[in-house]
Amino acid sequence: MTKILDCTLRDGGYYTNWDFNDNTVDAYIQAMNVLPIDYLELGYRNNPTKEYMGKFGYCPVSVLKHIRQNCTKKLDVMLNEKSTRPKDFSALLKPIVGLVDMIRIAIDPNNFDRAVVLAKAVKAMGFEVGFNVMYMSKWRTEYPELLTKLGMLDSFADLFCMVDSFGGVTPEDVTNIVKVVRDNTKCPIGFHGHNNLQLGLINTITAMKLNVEYVDATILGMGRGAGNLNMELLLTYLNAHEGMQVDFNVLGDVITAFTPLLEKHQWGTNLPYMLAGANRIPQKEVMDWVTNRVYSFNSIVRALENRKNNAVDNAQFPRLNVERKFDKVLVIGGGNNAVEHKEAIKEFIAQEKNIAIIFATARNAKAYQDITIPIYYILVGNEGRRLTGNVGESKFNGTCVLPPYPRTMGTEVPAYAEKNTVELSAVVFTDQYKDSVTTIALQLAMNLTDGGIFVIGYDGYPGNVLSEKEVSLTNENKTIFNAFKEARGEQLKSLTPSLYRDLEVVSVYQYI
């Protein structure tokens, strides 16, 4: 009978930084005690890292003791082979002997030999030991030597888990790879699938029909990138087709406990994850792109296409050539004050003899279509589409400016603007947020003038409680404004009201 391993807290932690509140965890453990699940993978045991990781990124002894006292199922935690050596075991594993049953090790196929040494040391401490070997879709083509080494596991390993890291294998792939693995080892086999192509269930069913000994799933499919097979879907299938006894009231309770996290983080597959799965592109980068507020689906798809074609970028344009400097430059952001005070701003512009404006975002561009001075549009992320929506081909009369080549997310320029598009040669005033529209706009402004640089429409966010995205954007802009001050030796001036204390607000009305 295939054993079922739930890895919600470990794999789902990629969305929560491995923080889960106590009520959620207690509800999870109570449900797992009743449901027909054999192992719970609680998280990682890690050496200290620079980035923040919550309790299930480290699985402190106190946490494991609490769960052990309240859980009737077998428990395991995971080690990252790339950052763990046997010398670390006195700190990582010795304190948890007797608290967990299995140690699973996440392994790059290139490091298999080193992982064997690590795993034997784990086994010697009395734990069951499992190999989670990544990139199964590439084993036969890029790592054929791995398959010939699997016999090394026969004498000590308790599990060899095939990990569909990219979420792109098919039932036929599973069938073929299981056969090859069976031919090379007597070690029990497991399958861990991702759900990029919505094949998690059929791949897992296929693996079970091939008599693999372990399969993984998570509550609500919570997991890195596109997520995993939904545990509730697997149990529902096994109940209907294999007669497995499932308490659906309990299953419903644990789903309810995790639903607020789903509503907050919105994991699951989408077009970028589908393309990543189909083209064997790692989940990590795609997950970073998908959760970034700047990147549109088009830009992510374009970046994936460039990666697939081994291209650093899909287009290159002439570099900006500044033939004459302006006396002043005005940078227009996306805040409402840029529209609220537009008549005063236009009067300010009209009285200047040598001024240019830069739209950091085209959100407010429609309000300024009647001016006749040089106009620059920053094209980052989704700004090409926004330019088309708010200005359009018939009214476009400016110059589009791109970040320096090559661009992480590739290049998207409306066809009508291609002849009037240039790219910056470099961003020099800051090393951070180089894909921010504000960074590119301020670098362009510094290239265009040695005189005054003003901004409007950087309103900031009112209220005491800000959304996560608002906090992120606020901190980003503060960093950029401070970098500008360091580079120019003066604070950036805003002509319209702003909540950013890093800007010097100087009313536009004093100039007109």
Side-chain angles (χ1 to χ4, degrees), residues 5 41 76-79 102-105 130 132 159 161 216:
L5 187 151
E41 188 161 79
D76 86 83
V77 294
M78 181 169 280
L79 299 177
M102 179 186 286
I103 305 296
R104 290 213 293 184
I105 306 172
N132 266 42
L159 167 63
C161 189
D216 293 6

Side-chain angles (χ1 to χ4, degrees), residues 30 67 155 170 186 207 216 227 249 292 306 379 408 417 422 438 447:
Q30 291 171 16
I67 292 176
S155 62
T170 65
K186 297 177 183 178
D216 293 6
N249 286 332
N292 188 302
N306 290 341
L379 294 190
T408 301
V422 295
T438 301
N447 290 354

Side-chain angles (χ1 to χ4, degrees), residues 336-391:
N336 290 334
N337 280 326
V339 176
E340 182 72 21
H341 301 278
K342 67 179 180 179
E343 298 306 325
I345 296 298
K346 290 178 182 179
E347 191 172 341
F348 169 80
I349 291 171
Q351 71 184 18
E352 295 293 333
K353 295 181 180 179
N354 188 27
I355 187 172
I357 62 172
I358 300 170
F359 286 101
T361 169
R363 183 176 284 117
N364 291 322
K366 186 179 294 185
Y368 292 87
Q369 285 303 291
D370 54 345
I371 61 176
T372 57
I373 64 171
I375 300 174
Y376 297 84
Y377 300 97
I378 302 303
L379 294 190
V380 174
N382 202 31
E383 285 301 321
R385 296 186 69 190
R386 183 171 283 145
L387 177 65
T388 297
N390 290 342
V391 178

Side-chain angles (χ1 to χ4, degrees), residues 15-80:
Y15 276 98
T16 67
N17 288 324
W18 292 276
D19 271 330
F20 294 89
N21 69 53
D22 292 343
N23 290 337
T24 300
V25 174
D26 287 344
Y28 170 76
I29 296 301
Q30 291 171 16
M32 294 299 110
N33 284 342
V34 176
L35 294 171
I37 292 166
D38 300 280
Y39 284 78
L40 310 185
E41 188 161 79
L42 301 177
Y44 288 96
R45 287 286 282 179
N46 270 312
N47 290 312
T49 57
K50 292 182 180 180
E51 70 274 11
Y52 176 80
M53 297 176 72
K55 68 175 69 172
F56 292 98
Y58 291 99
C59 289
V61 171
S62 59
V63 172
L64 295 180
K65 281 184 176 179
H66 172 77
I67 292 176
R68 180 71 285 167
Q69 291 167 358
N70 291 280
C71 184
T72 61
K73 301 302 176 73
K74 285 194 168 186
L75 304 177
D76 86 83
V77 294
M78 181 169 280
L79 299 177
N80 272 313

